[in-house]
Amino acid sequence: MAAPGASDSEEEELAGYGTALEPLPEGERIKKPVPLQEQTVKDEKGRYKRFHGAFSGGFSAGYFNTVGSKEGWAPSTFVSSRQKRADKTALGPEDFMDEEDLSEYGIAPKEITTTDDFASKPKDRIKEKARHIAGITSSIPGTTALDDLIAPAKITIGVELLRKMGWKEGQGVGPRVKRKPRKQKPDPEVKVYGCALPPEGSEDEEDEYQPANVTFAPKDVMPVDLTPKENVRGLGYQGLDPTKALFGVSGGEHPSLFTDGSEKTSNLLGDLRHSKGRKLGISGQAFGVGALEEEDDDIYATETLSKYDTVLKDEEPGDMLYGWTAPKQYKNKKGMEKEIRYIGKILDGFSLASKSSATKKTYLPPDLPRDYRPVHYFRPVITARNENPLLLQALVESTGKLETDALQQNRHTLNASQRRELLGETALKGPSPSVLEYLSGKDKERIKEVKQAAEQQMKTQTLPQQSLNISSFSYGVHQKWQMALGGQLATPSSSDFKPFAKNPEKQKRYEDYIESLKQGQKDTSESHTDPGMTEWERGREREEFFHAAVLYKSSNPVLSSRFTRAKHEDDTDKVEVPRDQEMDIDDKESAVKMKMFGKLTRDKFEWHPEKLLCKRFNVPDPYSDSLIVGLPKVKRDKYSVFNFLTLPESTTTTITQTINEKMQQNISPNKPKKPSRWDVSDKEKKKKDSISEFISLARSKVNIQQQQPESVIEEDRSRTNEPLPNKAVNESTDQKEEEESRPSMDLFKAIFASSSDEKSSSSEEDSDEEAHQPPSSVPNSESTKHANLPDTSSADVQECMAVTSEPDLVPPLLKEELDKVEEFGPRLPPVSFSKTTQEHEPVSLASSVEANQKEKPKKNKEKHKVKREHKHKKEKKKKRKKHRHKGKHKNKKSEKNSNSDTVDSSDSLSDIEEIIDLSSQELLRRLKHLPAMKQ
Amino acid sequence: MAFPEPKPKKPELPKKLVQNLECKQGAVRAVRFNVDGNYCLTCGSDKSLKLWNPHKGTLLKTYSGHGYEVLDAAGSFDNSQLCSCGADKTVVLWDVASGQVIRKFRGHAGKVNCVQFNEEATVILSGSIDSSVRCWDCRSRRPDPIQILDEAKDGVSSLKVSDYEILSGSVDGRVRRYDLRAGELYSDYIGSPVTSVCFSKDGQCTLAASLDSTLRLLDKDTGELLGEYTGHKNTAYKLDCCLSEKDTHVASCSEDGKVYFWDLVEGSLMLSLPVGRGVVQSLSFHPSEPGLLTATEGHVQFWREESHMAEKQLPGC
């Protein structure tokens, strides 16, 4: 290998292989090699190649090297290739190769290239001009874009012919013109200070030199558009011209067409061409002018050769200045003007008028009176109901006002009386809408008085309460309730809210109502109601007004300023309802009874699953192009009955709400008026209250039925207080058992839960006989229970016994049961059962942990034995209270079970009394011993 | 389990009590086999969810995190996840191995009665007393359901999912089948509150239990009644029903403490299996073998066919 520093002679002798390393520049250190992690690999075209994988052999593909996507494996939809078999192309290997590799394997690139016929030529000025003219004259701006798309490949024959005839681009068509030599205008003698005045040259003033005996080609001027302006766009408006966006430079290319002198033309033509060439892109004022830009300047404009003439022409450029580049104002404009004004051949014997025709006289509008307000006041509409029918008739005949008014309204919004008027029918002589009509005038008055008095009374009743509340909280602000409300109420003038805009009469009544409410009138609604309405309707409307007034009180100005009115008003009278409703159940019921399942019982709906759900289920979306989710919905009229039904409740809540608000405002006057969270919670509370009220109402009814069992319990207790025969106890439980199929373990829990502590002490010395004497604490618990009864008793007769125990005493598990009482649908079975069973099994599986089914019979037999044993054991361990507490829960269970056992035995009636006695004794004994058993 | 079956034997019913699990989680609200039948889940009223090997009777894991009693549970196809729902109005997605809550879906307005995974465990469907079925997305972190199927007029008591269908039984007495592929909803009126629905294994029929103590087998496509099964007692509680592993029998819980088996075709009562004294609340049939899980009170029993031998028990765990 050739040494880098070898001399020439040496080089000749030695054979060299490879290329020599470049000699190191002196004094420079060898560069450190680039570390591995910083090395980059590029392919032929300079693109970075990225290696992927542990040994950099892999490549990255898809979604984390899978063919899946983020959303899973989206199934590709099957597309039938049946119709497209012909144009199916076989893919060759080159389709999968990189383009840079193609040459390596000798495969010619198969790119689509435009042939000469279709190649876009350098811009053809003629065509462009024609297009512009078309663009101006055409009714729809921008239609020329189509022409661009389907431009002919070659120059039209007409242009070619013209060219053959000696026509050149940039000049007009027609015979050559000889121009008159014009005199040079002498410089004005007057010295001008400040701004130079525009030259006031006459027509024949020319400041250019014109050689004589030279003919010129006619100027290529744009014909003036003389079409009248018919559209409503602004003067000179032209829609965004796509040609400009697509082809960029338009105006700047034609210095010969529009020069400074023809500015007017361009203005006339809607500023089609800008004096400066524009580059690609949609330009205009829409995006504003940047800080760095001058007014409308295209800062990115670059000088291109295309702006300059490339053809040597023998005529003057359009401005006829011949290189004269004086400021614009020196140039003649009048001459141009004239030319623009009339283009074409002047007929023989005619000459252009030197003076323009007299301008049209315009007359100024008359002076307005000083107090004129440009608002039209419509006189109130005369309606059928308000006025005397005779007067109305006269009015109708004279003006026809009513009819036109009525016609304005929708046919469907008319009420019966309006419709009657329209049809020209007379009012029915039949029953009048209100019962009051039957009453004599005296009676009516009396009723009204009574009513007003009652209302007054009611208000005065409420007032003291309110004022009391308010005054107790307020800073001495004593406002009357009505006034207080009125201040908050919607002011029809200030707020543009019109809740009854659809019914103008109603709206007017509403506004009157608000107005009077603000003034503090009491019987506000009375005076404004429609006399044609029934009492019921009137009452309802009053409610409605009040509701609306409270609801739509003018909100905080800060808040209201942030919101704007909806553009499209929601159709409040409509609700979205599923298009297809499930069919009537009655038919199905009968079908089910006849067991004719199938078509009769089946409803089929179009149902739109969510797109994502389909994806997750790997199912193609059946309605891939619909936006509906779920069942298709349609808008239906709201049922007005429902509105009414919900009204009373809501008014009460809103009243309380407003009161609360008022109180809050008084407390903190700075607070905005909008309802706070507390009001809402109050509202909820109120609702809850109403629910609980309802429930308690239902319960109170049931309580009557409960009386018997309760008294039985009391009886039970009283009897157990003094040692009474156990039989009675059993009898009482018997009765209970009749009342409810399931025993009430909660009752027992309630009785025994608090007494379990005492039991231990008593069991120490007590004999079996004394054992069933209840502990001293029982009465207490009973009494507490009793006190709680009205609240907690449930509507369910079956469960009533269970509920008698107050939740406080009951462990959380039982609370769940309490909750369940008020639920709907199929219930869940209770946590554990103590059902009436045929088998006599005193200790159920549930109570004994280690109970196995195989052991059952054995246990049954040994029951007594075991009991005794346990009892002894227990006595030994009686001191260990801990275990007792632990076993409490299970203890209860066993209580219940044993109870059921006793019940069973009594139910069966086959057992004799002694056994019952024994079992009840057993029960109590077991109660005590069970904890020990568990140990 | 690769035992070559010599010839198609007459299907046996699970009569033999193999295991009795003391669940110690209050009442067992539901018992469910996992996808391959090796494990089972029990939903307790003490807010816990437990995973068992019923073949051996061993408790494997306890999942706690519900705020109220657990009402239903299901396992994913790959046994990696569980979902459960409860009276705390939530649907919970669990990690099987760690026992951690992966996600909690809140949105139901009432207690959630039933829960199901879809085939790929990408969506959890839950039916609630608020009369809606909600489709929760397990893939994304979106807190809202993908879709709410609120066509039911009353609480949804039971729910089943096939590869492209959602079957829901509602207390309004209707069985609704949402067909995602066809984009249609079929609503069959049963008349009485539906407590449990299930698909047959062949996917041709639906079985619906209702509170009139009747089970009805309906043709899936037409809604025609194919069979009616009565004899058990189901008037108050939400009880389960199911089909046997080969669609030969229909099984249902009963309020008289038994499980009833009917011949699917003939509709005749084949067996009433005394399980316990209380209501048999839930049952689950082994997906491939004649094995049955029943839940009554706080216990779960595992029943096998008479010829079943203990040696056949599964390895694992």
Side-chain angles (χ1 to χ4, degrees):
Chain A
M1 197 194 254
S7 68
D8 288 3
S9 59
E10 273 177 307
E11 213 172 305
E12 280 167 4
E13 288 168 16
L14 295 168
Y17 293 102
T19 49
L21 287 168
E22 282 177 28
L24 279 171
E26 287 198 7
E28 201 175 297
R29 294 194 59 177
I30 303 161
K31 274 181 190 166
K32 272 188 181 175
V34 184
L36 198 69
Q37 68 270 12
E38 282 170 23
Q39 285 177 3
T40 51
V41 184
K42 288 177 187 174
D43 66 358
E44 280 174 22
K45 303 215 163 173
R47 292 177 293 211
Y48 280 102
K49 261 188 176 173
R50 225 176 64 192
F51 291 125
H52 185 82
F55 300 100
S56 71
F59 57 93
S60 75
Y63 184 68
F64 294 114
N65 275 344
T66 68
V67 273
S69 67
K70 195 187 177 188
E71 302 293 339
W73 294 49
S76 64
T77 48
F78 172 74
V79 181
S80 171
S81 62
R82 198 176 212 183
Q83 309 299 327
K84 299 172 199 159
R85 228 169 253 171
D87 43 37
K88 208 166 124 188
T89 51
L91 292 171
E94 60 269 23
D95 290 315
F96 302 100
M97 287 168 70
D98 288 341
E99 50 193 289
E100 60 260 32
D101 295 336
L102 288 173
S103 59
E104 206 171 307
Y105 291 92
I107 299 164
K110 287 180 187 171
E111 281 178 347
I112 298 168
T113 49
T114 46
T115 55
D116 201 38
D117 285 347
F118 299 100
S120 60
K121 293 178 296 296
K123 291 211 180 87
D124 194 64
R125 291 213 193 123
I126 305 134
K127 251 189 285 166
E128 228 167 27
K129 191 193 164 202
R131 199 182 59 215
H132 280 300
I133 292 162
I136 294 151
T137 50
S138 70
S139 53
I140 308 158
T143 40
T144 50
L146 203 66
D147 299 335
D148 290 329
L149 292 174
I150 46 172
K154 289 190 171 131
I155 304 165
T156 51
I157 191 74
V159 175
E160 218 140 291
L161 276 171
L162 274 173
R163 275 186 181 157
K164 291 242 167 89
M165 287 162 74
W167 173 81
K168 287 195 180 103
E169 285 179 20
Q171 63 188 40
V173 181
R176 295 179 79 85
V177 184
K178 191 177 178 184
R179 287 211 188 139
K180 285 180 212 159
R182 290 166 195 188
K183 283 177 205 161
Q184 188 86 22
K185 196 205 161 199
D187 263 336
E189 304 277 60
V190 194
K191 217 176 181 186
V192 180
Y193 296 97
C195 290
L197 285 165
E200 30 187 311
S202 61
E203 275 177 48
D204 45 8
E205 277 174 0
E206 275 297 331
D207 48 2
E208 314 145 30
Y209 166 73
Q210 297 272 355
N213 303 325
V214 178
T215 53
F216 298 98
K219 286 187 101 185
D220 189 15
V221 274
M222 296 283 292
V224 178
D225 183 21
L226 295 170
T227 50
K229 183 178 177 300
E230 282 166 333
N231 52 16
V232 289
R233 296 187 198 119
L235 192 68
Y237 168 85
Q238 201 188 15
L240 206 62
D241 191 1
T243 56
K244 276 182 197 166
L246 292 169
F247 300 98
V249 185
S250 56
E253 273 189 333
H254 305 280
S256 60
L257 285 179
F258 291 97
T259 45
D260 297 325
S262 61
E263 261 175 9
K264 195 129 191 185
T265 324
S266 59
N267 285 338
L268 227 162
L269 296 174
D271 209 3
L272 177 71
R273 281 139 216 280
H274 300 271
S275 51
K276 290 186 182 175
R278 292 208 171 255
K279 280 273 130 194
L280 281 175
I282 298 166
S283 59
Q285 292 283 11
F287 302 101
V289 179
L292 296 170
E293 294 171 66
E294 278 181 41
E295 171 67 22
D296 243 358
D297 260 1
D298 190 351
I299 54 163
Y300 303 108
T302 47
E303 289 292 305
T304 52
L305 262 181
S306 64
K307 285 182 174 178
Y308 297 96
D309 279 351
T310 49
V311 186
L312 259 181
K313 297 171 201 170
D314 45 2
E315 305 95 11
E316 79 280 15
D319 57 3
M320 295 169 286
L321 286 175
Y322 291 103
W324 173 257
T325 53
K328 283 180 187 177
Q329 62 258 38
Y330 292 119
K331 287 177 218 161
N332 193 337
K333 282 184 183 165
K334 284 287 166 80
M336 300 301 291
E337 230 171 69
K338 187 187 165 189
E339 265 184 351
I340 289 152
R341 211 174 287 144
Y342 187 80
I343 302 142
K345 206 180 170 191
I346 297 164
L347 287 171
D348 289 289
F350 286 89
S351 64
L352 273 178
S354 55
K355 282 181 195 167
S356 62
S357 58
T359 51
K360 273 182 187 170
K361 224 177 181 182
T362 50
Y363 298 96
L364 285 171
D367 286 330
L368 292 172
R370 282 185 73 191
D371 54 347
Y372 174 75
R373 277 171 64 240
V375 176
H376 184 70
Y377 170 68
F378 291 97
R379 273 172 297 167
V381 173
I382 303 141
T383 52
R385 275 169 280 140
N386 292 346
E387 312 298 327
N388 190 342
L390 281 172
L391 171 73
L392 189 88
Q393 193 72 23
L395 273 168
V396 167
E397 277 165 11
S398 63
T399 61
K401 169 92 178 163
L402 182 82
E403 271 172 0
T404 51
D405 174 62
L407 281 170
Q408 279 167 9
Q409 287 178 321
N410 192 353
R411 185 164 57 92
H412 299 284
T413 56
L414 297 175
N415 59 22
S417 62
Q418 282 170 322
R419 235 176 279 128
R420 188 183 61 215
E421 283 307 326
L422 269 180
L423 291 169
E425 291 172 2
T426 50
L428 277 178
K429 295 282 191 297
S432 52
S434 171
V435 190
L436 291 173
E437 303 288 323
Y438 290 111
L439 299 173
S440 63
K442 249 186 208 170
D443 286 341
K444 271 187 199 170
E445 270 181 24
R446 213 174 53 208
I447 285 171
K448 207 170 182 180
E449 272 172 33
V450 167
K451 203 161 62 180
Q452 281 183 350
E455 272 186 5
Q456 290 279 17
Q457 206 180 356
M458 205 182 73
K459 271 163 191 166
T460 45
Q461 270 178 355
T462 52
L463 256 173
Q465 289 177 8
Q466 305 304 331
S467 54
L468 198 90
N469 286 336
I470 292 163
S471 61
S472 60
F473 288 102
S474 65
Y475 295 104
V477 185
H478 290 278
Q479 280 178 310
K480 284 195 171 181
W481 142 249
Q482 194 87 17
M483 288 299 285
L485 190 64
Q488 282 186 326
L489 286 173
T491 47
S493 54
S494 65
S495 72
D496 52 351
F497 169 70
K498 285 189 170 55
F500 309 106
K502 286 194 178 161
N503 192 346
E505 287 171 39
K506 199 174 180 183
Q507 176 65 29
K508 195 171 181 307
R509 285 203 297 276
Y510 170 68
E511 278 166 18
D512 289 344
Y513 169 78
I514 296 291
E515 200 61 41
S516 55
L517 205 64
K518 275 166 79 184
Q519 285 158 13
Q521 269 177 257
K522 299 289 177 211
D523 51 344
T524 47
S525 52
E526 290 304 304
S527 52
H528 306 292
T529 43
D530 191 343
M533 278 162 40
T534 60
E535 192 67 11
W536 185 81
E537 282 175 321
R538 217 171 293 166
R540 202 198 140 174
E541 197 176 77
R542 205 181 315 140
E543 296 257 81
E544 234 174 312
F545 283 174
F546 181 74
H547 191 68
V550 171
L551 201 64
Y552 298 105
K553 61 176 184 298
S554 53
S555 49
N556 194 358
V558 178
L559 201 68
S560 57
S561 69
R562 301 206 168 201
F563 294 93
T564 182
R565 298 213 61 169
K567 283 271 162 54
H568 306 283
E569 205 165 301
D570 292 333
D571 211 347
T572 46
D573 286 350
K574 303 263 178 134
V575 274
E576 284 216 325
V577 175
R579 191 183 64 193
D580 312 302
Q581 292 279 2
E582 277 166 354
M583 289 311 186
D584 192 24
I585 287 180
D586 294 343
D587 303 340
K588 295 197 172 126
E589 202 84 60
S590 50
V592 166
K593 265 179 198 147
M594 289 152 69
K595 297 192 176 172
M596 286 170 69
F597 285 87
K599 275 182 185 171
L600 290 172
T601 57
R602 167 159 283 200
D603 291 312
K604 193 169 148 191
F605 307 110
E606 188 182 313
W607 175 71
H608 296 249
E610 176 85 20
K611 282 194 172 54
L612 185 58
L613 193 67
C614 290
K615 203 174 229 176
R616 293 278 186 267
F617 271 79
N618 287 335
V619 164
D621 193 347
Y623 308 99
S624 49
D625 47 353
S626 89
L627 294 169
I628 313 165
V629 173
L631 295 178
K633 305 228 163 144
V634 286
K635 286 205 163 180
R636 293 249 170 86
D637 282 348
K638 260 184 199 168
Y639 298 115
S640 52
V641 186
F642 290 160
N643 298 343
F644 180 69
L645 283 175
T646 54
L647 206 72
E649 199 200 33
S650 53
T651 44
T652 51
T653 52
T654 44
I655 288 166
T656 53
Q657 197 182 340
T658 46
I659 294 163
N660 285 328
E661 267 176 33
K662 192 69 211 165
M663 278 157 63
Q664 276 197 338
Q665 273 182 338
N666 287 334
I667 294 161
S668 55
N670 295 335
K671 264 192 175 177
K673 282 180 185 175
K674 59 179 178 183
S676 69
R677 196 188 299 162
W678 303 107
D679 297 328
V680 176
S681 69
D682 221 292
K683 204 169 163 182
E684 283 172 359
K685 215 189 288 167
K686 177 80 185 173
K687 272 183 187 167
K688 267 182 199 164
D689 283 349
S690 63
I691 290 165
S692 61
E693 265 175 22
F694 175 73
I695 289 165
S696 61
L697 201 84
R699 280 169 182 168
S700 64
K701 280 179 194 163
V702 182
N703 270 349
I704 301 160
Q705 295 167 12
Q706 283 180 16
Q707 286 307 324
Q708 206 190 341
E710 271 168 36
S711 63
V712 165
I713 302 159
E714 280 187 317
E715 215 179 24
D716 189 1
R717 179 166 48 80
S718 60
R719 276 179 202 171
T720 43
N721 269 339
E722 340 144 42
L724 272 174
N726 286 315
K727 189 183 162 191
V729 181
N730 282 323
E731 270 172 8
S732 67
T733 48
D734 245 0
Q735 282 178 16
K736 248 183 280 164
E737 190 54 43
E738 278 163 19
E739 283 290 317
E740 46 181 64
S741 57
R742 264 170 293 137
S744 55
M745 61 166 177
D746 303 311
L747 169 70
F748 280 84
K749 265 176 196 164
I751 297 170
F752 292 108
S754 53
S755 65
S756 57
D757 287 1
E758 278 86 354
K759 240 186 285 168
S760 60
S761 58
S762 64
S763 62
E764 281 178 26
E765 61 263 60
D766 279 1
S767 68
D768 282 356
E769 300 305 303
E770 285 168 319
H772 60 259
Q773 196 172 347
S776 56
S777 69
V778 168
N780 291 337
S781 66
E782 272 290 288
S783 62
T784 52
K785 180 194 74 185
H786 199 68
N788 289 322
L789 249 173
D791 294 334
T792 53
S793 59
S794 84
D796 196 337
V797 186
Q798 278 204 341
E799 305 277 1
C800 69
M801 299 307 277
V803 181
T804 45
S805 59
E806 169 59 19
D808 293 356
L809 301 171
V810 183
L813 258 178
L814 295 168
K815 270 190 181 171
E816 294 174 22
E817 289 230 324
L818 269 176
D819 293 347
K820 239 171 273 158
V821 173
E822 282 162 16
E823 279 187 6
F824 310 99
R827 284 168 298 165
L828 291 165
V831 173
S832 56
F833 283 89
S834 51
K835 290 204 68 174
T836 54
T837 43
Q838 261 55 48
E839 351 160 54
H840 279 273
E841 211 176 307
V843 183
S844 75
L845 269 168
S847 59
S848 66
V849 182
E850 62 275 23
N852 228 328
Q853 291 194 337
K854 288 166 190 171
E855 293 174 349
K856 267 184 204 168
K858 206 178 170 185
K859 208 164 185 183
N860 230 343
K861 287 168 196 167
E862 292 178 353
K863 182 192 80 188
H864 265 274
K865 223 178 178 178
V866 171
K867 290 288 152 217
R868 296 278 172 192
E869 277 174 22
H870 277 303
K871 193 203 163 193
H872 292 304
K873 265 188 204 167
K874 207 243 150 184
E875 276 173 2
K876 282 172 200 164
K877 294 167 184 172
K878 59 196 166 189
K879 298 269 152 64
R880 295 164 67 177
K881 283 190 179 177
K882 254 191 190 171
H883 292 274
R884 185 141 303 139
H885 286 292
K886 269 188 186 171
K888 214 199 262 179
H889 190 68
K890 280 163 185 171
N891 189 6
K892 280 168 211 154
K893 273 191 187 170
S894 63
E895 276 166 33
K896 168 203 58 201
N897 283 321
S898 52
N899 173 51
S900 70
D901 286 340
T902 57
V903 165
D904 292 345
S905 55
S906 55
D907 266 349
S908 63
L909 293 172
S910 59
D911 299 326
I912 43 167
E913 280 186 9
E914 282 96 81
I915 293 176
I916 299 163
D917 269 35
L918 223 167
S919 63
S920 67
Q921 285 168 16
E922 269 292 320
L923 150 79
L924 290 167
R925 202 186 300 151
R926 230 174 283 144
L927 286 177
K928 291 177 185 174
H929 301 322
L930 261 168
M933 279 168 64
K934 300 270 150 65
Q935 283 166 11
Chain B
M1 295 301 292
F3 286 103
E5 279 192 274
K7 56 178 130 172
K9 286 185 287 186
K10 205 188 156 199
E12 281 187 284
L13 287 172
K15 298 178 194 175
K16 195 166 82 174
L17 182 66
V18 182
Q19 290 287 345
N20 186 12
L21 312 174
E22 169 74 44
C23 293
K24 292 177 193 161
Q25 49 177 169
V28 178
R29 290 301 183 206
V31 60
R32 300 280 179 254
F33 267 115
N34 76 328
V35 70
D36 54 5
N38 289 346
Y39 307 102
C40 75
L41 293 161
T42 59
C43 307
S45 64
D46 72 338
K47 312 169 191 177
S48 70
L49 175 72
K50 289 187 178 183
L51 177 68
W52 303 81
N53 183 338
H55 305 273
K56 290 182 172 178
T58 49
L59 173 66
L60 302 175
K61 204 156 186 76
T62 303
Y63 303 88
S64 47
H66 267 291
Y68 234 136
E69 57 182 337
V70 189
L71 294 177
D72 197 5
S76 71
F77 73 102
D78 55 356
N79 287 333
S80 69
Q81 290 179 332
L82 305 174
C83 63
S84 65
C85 63
D88 58 351
K89 307 175 189 175
T90 59
V91 175
V92 179
L93 179 66
W94 305 88
D95 183 62
V96 170
S98 68
Q100 298 295 308
V101 175
I102 301 172
R103 305 232 8 219
K104 250 189 189 185
F105 299 102
R106 292 184 180 86
H108 275 298
K111 65 174 187 180
V112 190
N113 277 329
C114 42
V115 71
Q116 285 284 316
F117 271 117
N118 75 333
E119 213 179 23
E120 291 185 347
T122 50
V123 178
I124 295 176
L125 294 115
S126 62
S128 160
I129 200 167
D130 69 358
S131 77
S132 72
V133 173
R134 282 166 202 251
C135 314
W136 307 97
D137 194 357
C138 300
R139 284 269 187 113
S140 71
R141 303 295 299 172
R142 208 162 68 147
D144 323 311
I146 302 173
Q147 191 172 7
I148 301 172
L149 319 177
D150 53 357
E151 282 77 24
K153 306 281 184 301
D154 208 333
V156 177
S157 55
S158 181
L159 188 70
K160 289 289 180 312
V161 180
S162 78
D163 47 358
Y164 64 97
E165 292 158 307
I166 302 164
L167 185 71
S168 81
S170 168
V171 184
D172 65 0
R174 285 176 188 274
V175 175
R176 291 182 177 78
R177 185 165 63 86
Y178 300 88
D179 193 326
L180 274 89
R181 208 150 61 181
E184 264 160 358
L185 160 63
Y186 305 93
S187 166
D188 286 320
Y189 186 72
I190 300 294
S192 171
V194 179
T195 60
S196 178
V197 288
C198 52
F199 282 114
S200 63
K201 297 275 187 303
D202 62 354
Q204 300 290 313
C205 314
T206 57
L207 182 71
S210 55
L211 282 187
D212 53 356
S213 298
T214 312
L215 269 68
R216 290 184 181 85
L217 188 73
L218 302 174
D219 189 278
K220 200 179 81 175
D221 293 327
T222 62
E224 280 160 16
L225 185 71
L226 300 177
E228 219 174 17
Y229 311 96
T230 52
H232 66 300
K233 181 168 176 262
N234 183 8
T235 53
Y237 299 131
K238 180 178 119 45
L239 303 181
D240 286 344
C241 65
C242 66
L243 287 150
S244 68
E245 87 282 8
K246 284 182 185 119
D247 280 346
T248 53
H249 291 85
V250 172
S252 171
C253 301
S254 174
E255 284 165 25
D256 56 7
K258 291 176 183 170
V259 170
Y260 288 78
F261 286 93
W262 296 269
D263 190 280
L264 180 119
V265 180
E266 291 164 22
S268 55
L269 184 66
M270 299 297 279
L271 172 71
S272 64
L273 186 72
V275 173
R277 299 200 314 161
V279 174
V280 183
Q281 194 170 336
S282 178
L283 55 77
S284 179
F285 213 94
H286 195 285
S288 55
E289 283 174 58
L292 180 76
L293 283 168
T294 57
T296 172
E297 296 177 0
H299 298 258
V300 166
Q301 294 84 19
F302 184 43
W303 308 81
R304 291 303 300 258
E305 70 276 17
E306 291 283 8
S307 58
H308 175 76
M309 282 171 291
E311 291 84 60
K312 273 173 129 186
Q313 272 177 12
L314 291 160
C317 265

